[in-house]
Amino acid sequence: MKDEIKYKLGRNIKIERIRKDITQEQFAELIDMSVSYVSKIEQGLTSPTALALFKMSCVLNVPMEEFFKGISKL
C-alpha cells in the first residue's frame, strides 16, 4: 500500500510537471532540490517532504491536493 501511494504521488507530480512543459532539471532548480531527488519522487522510490510538496505546488501552480488524485484513503 505504501509503495503504491508513493508511486501514484510521484506519477501525479510528474504529470503536472510535464503539463507545464518543465524539465526535471528546471523543476529541481525551481524548487531548490536535486535532480536525483525529483527523479526518485517521480519514480515512487521516495516520498517528498511537506516542504518539497509545498514548493512543487507553488511552482506548478496547482493545489497540493492535486498530487493525491487517485490515491484512495487508508
Side-chain angles (χ1 to χ4, degrees), residues 5 10 18 20-21 23 25 36 42-44 52-53 55 58 61-63 67-69 71-73:
I5 292 170
I18 291 170
K20 300 287 196 259
D21 198 28
T23 67
E25 291 79 9
S36 64
E42 290 186 354
Q43 292 176 62
L53 277 176
K55 288 179 175 184
C58 291
N61 196 30
V62 296
F67 299 144
F68 295 94
K69 217 174 185 180
I71 299 174
S72 56
K73 294 181 180 179

Side-chain angles (χ1 to χ4, degrees), residues 22-68:
I22 299 172
T23 67
Q24 270 190 350
E25 291 79 9
Q26 292 168 327
F27 192 46
E29 189 174 321
L30 289 167
I31 63 170
D32 195 28
M33 308 273 170
S34 70
V35 175
S36 64
Y37 181 63
V38 171
S39 177
K40 285 178 183 175
I41 291 169
E42 290 186 354
Q43 292 176 62
L45 300 176
T46 192
S47 298
T49 64
L51 178 59
L53 277 176
F54 178 74
K55 288 179 175 184
M56 292 174 182
S57 173
C58 291
V59 166
L60 296 173
N61 196 30
V62 296
M64 281 193 280
E65 297 82 26
E66 194 67 26
F67 299 144
F68 295 94

